[in-house]
Every structure is written in structure tokens, then in C-alpha cells.
Amino acid sequence: MLNTVAETNSATVFAGKKPPANRNRPISACQRMLDALHCRQVDRPPVWLMRQAGRCLPEYRALRERHSFRELIQTPALAAEVTLQPVRRFHFDAAILFSDILVVPEAMGQGFSFREKGGVEMTHRLRDGADVRQLNDREVTARLQYVAEAVKLIKAELGEGAALLGFAGSPWTLANFMTEGGSAARHGKALELFNSDRQAFDLLAQKLTRAVTDFLNLQIDAGVDAIQIFDSLGGLLPPEDFAAASGKWIAEIVAALPPSTPVIVYSKGTRDWPSLVGTGAQAIGIDHEIDLAGAVKALPRDVAVQGNLNPALLQTASPSEVRTEASRLLELMRGRAGYIFNLGHGVPPETKLENLEALVDTAQTFV
Ligand code: CP3
């Protein structure tokens, strides 16, 4: 029988194993994460992993045998359960809401499903300004109430046991899926629209900016502690176009959120540090192709840094190799107020659990 959040109480989140004791001063995991986001000194860097929930966990795969992905994200008790699974197992300092970036296009009238062989398929593709004008950016919060319900359940269960991160895709990254009509071997149509019909591109980005802002404010009102904006396709942009095609829209979103809610901007492949800092993000996510030491030098001291262990190691390396690489990153960042340990991208589905255990243990026992 499924042990949903609705059936449990907050004392049971950590049933079984106890979270590791705090060594220096009593600090909750939630506070550790928030302190690091605000570049305050902490006992050790907080740790969470992008895509920590999902197919890498046997308990997720067991639930997935009985429920579609859509059921999991649209049923608040199930979304809450999946969000909490990795926190129960690994005592991460942050939980990330279980949902998907594509729920925003769906709420605007462009639905999605999954292809048999992997990848996303959308109901249609946006070709031009006329298609963009059809998108409804005014009813996103009404259509995504199920997300607010999930956030409330998760927060009630988590308490201070971990920070809860809400998230959304960036307008640029969403525009890529929407103009391709799903996943593509090589995304190129959003850049094509940006170059050939700037008016249509800007209208699309404006509509997405409004929808994403409303969606993130919905999550904040429901109780998330911080936000991550996934600009996972930022690296597709020629550096000279990053600011106009992605950065400026992210900046508009950040400016429209309450200043008390920290925002992490993860723009995979982007090295335009001034534009990233210019978004107003409290923290910048660094991917594994980027040298972490170099990124830290390029960023102001009052901006937190998150990353960037190569996720491929979780599939291919041994636990001791994972420990060595995690320790190298932790040593490199020693003393830097405002460091959040994470991967450079999401946990691969074929991850070996013993590697995740080695990674988390290395980060949580770092002194
Ligand atoms: O990080 C987390 O644990 C929270 C949940 C989360 C999911 N998707 C769950 C999910 C988050 C933050 C996302 C973001 C997301 N979704 C992104 C940006 C982040 C990134 O990794 O770059 C993108 C590009 C998507 C769109 C999307 N959703 C794709 C391309 C796919 C894969 C389709 C496939 O064939 O596997 C998804 C599905 C998806 N989203 C899964 C999960 C756990 C797999 C669903 C399943 O089959 O169980």
C-alpha cells in the first residue's frame, strides 16, 4: 500500500535512519540551504541533486509501475510522495518539487506526452507569430492549482527537515521545446525564430515570462523556500545572443518575485557571467563542462555557486572514484561562503545507488 504524505505525519519523514548530527552548531537542513544561498558561513555545504527524484530510485520505479508520470505530477499526494522519496533516503538539504518544466506550456494550451523511445512530444509546434498569439498566458495559475496543493503537502511534511525548492523552465528553454514540438536531436528552431522574426520571438518570450512568473509566485505563495530556474538549453545560444534571447527574460522573472525568496539560475553551457549575475539571481548553477574554480573567480562574492560534479560518474565510476571527485570539489570550495554541492546536470536514470550513497556521504561528512 502506498504510504502517501496524506497518511503520514511529519515525524515519519525520517523514519528509519536519523539525519546526520550537526557537528558545530544546531542548524536545520532548511536553514543550512538558505544560509548558503545568502552566502552566509555554514557548518558544511548543503547538498541536493538535480533530478534526485525519479528513475534512479527503486521506490520511484515501483510507484511508476502503477501510475503514469502525469498521474504522479498531477496528484498532489503522489507528487509529494515522490518529492520526499530522495530526502527520506539521503537526507538531502533541499527537496525539489516533483513536476516538470513542460506543465507551463501545457497550461498555455500546448500539451505534452512522452514518446515510446524516449523524449517529449507536444500536441503541435509553434511556427510563427499567429501560433504564438494563440497561447493563453492568463490562466496558468488556475490550471496549475495541483502544484500549489502538492507544495502545501510537502511543506507540511518536511518542516525544517529540508528546504523546498520550486522551479520552472526559462522562457528560452521552454521556447525551444515549443517551437520544435518536443525534444529534438538538435534544437534549432527557437534560434531561427529569434533571428528571422524577432517580433514573434519576443511575443513568445513575453508570454512565457508572464506565465512562468505567475507559476513561480503560485509556488512561493504555497510555501516553497527558494526557486531554481532551469535554462538547460542556454548553451545553444551564441554568446552574443544570450542576454537578448534568455538572460533578459530571466531577469524580468526574478525582478517580479519577492526579494525574500532566493533564486538559483542554472543555465547549462552559459559562460556569460555578467548576464547571469545581471538576472538578479542569488545563486548560479554551474554545469560540469565549466571549470568551477574559474567560475567562482568570475562571480561576485555575494552570489552563491552551485555544482558541478559530472553526472556521468554516477553511472560509470566506482564509489571510491566518486568520493575522490566529490572531495576535490568540496576542497576547492572550502571557505567560500555560498557554496551548494550539486551535480553539473541531472542524476542519470542508470545511476548506481552505491555511487549516490558515496557522493552524499562524502558531502555530509565533510569537515
Ligand atoms: O529534479 C527533480 O527531481 C524534479 C523533477 C524534474 C523533472 N523534470 C521530472 C521528470 C525537473 C526539475 C524536471 C525539469 C525538466 N524537464 C527539464 C530541465 C532540466 C534538465 O534536466 O535539463 C527538461 C528539459 C524537462 C523536459 C522533460 N521531462 C524531458 C526531456 C523528459 C525526459 C523524457 C524521457 O524520455 O525520459 C522529461 C520527463 C521527466 N521529468 C522524468 C522525470 C522524473 C522521467 C519521467 C519518467 O519516465 O518517469
Side-chain angles (χ1 to χ4, degrees):
M1 181 57 202
L2 170 68
N3 190 21
T4 63
V5 210
E7 295 157 11
T8 57
N9 62 47
S10 59
T12 60
V13 178
F14 297 114
K17 263 202 287 179
K18 277 212 169 108
N22 297 302
R23 287 173 305 275
N24 299 333
R25 62 191 163 101
I27 180 181
S28 70
C30 180
Q31 197 56 48
R32 180 181 294 115
M33 180 70 186
L34 292 173
D35 281 352
L37 281 167
H38 285 108
C39 294
R40 297 191 280 259
Q41 289 288 353
V42 281
D43 53 349
R44 61 158 175 84
V47 53
W48 73 279
L49 306 177
M50 290 185 271
R51 289 276 177 106
Q52 62 193 18
R55 287 172 290 192
C56 61
L57 296 183
E59 53 271 38
Y60 174 82
R61 291 197 300 269
L63 259 191
R64 255 311 249 118
E65 277 178 22
R66 287 184 285 139
H67 302 278
S68 66
F69 178 71
R70 183 166 294 282
E71 274 173 341
L72 292 185
I73 62 173
Q74 290 186 346
T75 313
L78 291 172
E81 172 64 17
V82 177
T83 302
L84 294 167
Q85 282 178 343
V87 183
R88 289 198 192 105
R89 186 186 268 267
F90 292 118
H91 309 298
F92 287 117
D93 296 293
I96 181 160
L97 167 72
F98 192 75
S99 186
D100 200 87
I101 63 168
L102 299 174
V103 301
V104 167
E106 182 158 85
M108 297 169 81
Q110 198 182 0
F112 70 96
S113 57
F114 295 116
R115 294 176 188 141
E116 278 287 316
K117 289 188 188 133
V120 171
E121 178 92 35
M122 308 203 68
T123 47
H124 59 287
R125 81 173 195 86
L126 306 180
R127 288 157 308 175
D128 51 24
D131 289 346
V132 173
R133 280 190 291 278
Q134 294 293 316
L135 293 170
N136 180 351
D137 58 347
R138 305 289 160 127
E139 279 169 46
V140 165
T141 43
R143 292 180 183 173
L144 296 176
Q145 276 306 317
Y146 64 85
V147 174
E149 293 312 311
V151 167
K152 286 179 200 159
L153 289 178
I154 300 162
K155 261 315 269 187
E157 179 89 359
L158 265 182
E160 289 285 297
L164 178 58
L165 302 178
F167 74 91
S170 71
W172 165 253
T173 291
L174 292 174
N176 269 277
F177 283 96
M178 295 164 84
T179 51
E180 300 288 349
S183 311
R186 281 195 54 192
H187 285 261
K189 296 200 167 66
L191 187 58
E192 227 170 270
L193 189 69
F194 176 79
N195 285 323
S196 66
D197 187 349
R198 187 64 64 90
Q199 234 185 344
F201 179 89
D202 280 356
L203 181 63
L204 175 56
Q206 265 164 25
K207 284 190 154 193
L208 283 167
T209 295
R210 182 188 176 120
V212 167
T213 300
D214 288 351
F215 181 46
L216 292 177
N217 274 317
L218 172 88
Q219 296 177 43
I220 292 168
D221 291 343
V224 300
D225 299 293
I227 292 291
Q228 175 154 318
I229 297 177
F230 285 90
D231 188 31
S232 307
L233 300 178
L236 291 179
L237 282 162
E240 64 275 18
D241 289 332
F242 177 78
S246 187
K248 88 171 204 194
W249 308 102
I250 297 176
E252 271 194 35
I253 294 166
V254 175
L257 303 178
S260 52
T261 305
V263 179
I264 307 163
V265 170
Y266 169 77
S267 184
K268 186 168 185 292
T270 301
R271 291 164 172 78
D272 178 351
W273 310 118
S275 288
L276 288 172
V277 172
T279 61
Q282 192 61 55
I284 305 292
I286 310 292
D287 77 68
H288 48 285
E289 309 270 314
I290 293 176
D291 170 49
L292 189 60
V296 170
K297 276 203 201 99
L299 290 168
R301 293 164 70 98
D302 62 349
V303 171
V305 174
Q306 175 177 281
N308 76 340
L309 189 128
N310 188 343
L313 287 182
L314 295 175
Q315 269 172 277
T316 57
S318 66
S320 81
E321 287 167 319
V322 170
R323 278 184 190 277
T324 303
E325 179 57 8
S327 301
R328 184 185 72 78
L329 293 172
L330 289 159
E331 278 306 334
L332 181 72
M333 298 302 285
R334 184 185 284 284
R336 209 280 186 183
Y339 174 52
I340 298 148
F341 186 87
N342 205 315
L343 304 176
H345 200 184
V347 178
E350 305 78 15
T351 288
K352 298 183 206 158
L353 275 184
E354 62 267 32
N355 280 344
L356 272 183
E357 281 157 15
L359 179 81
V360 170
D361 183 60
T362 306
Q364 290 176 341
T365 56
F366 181 70
V367 278

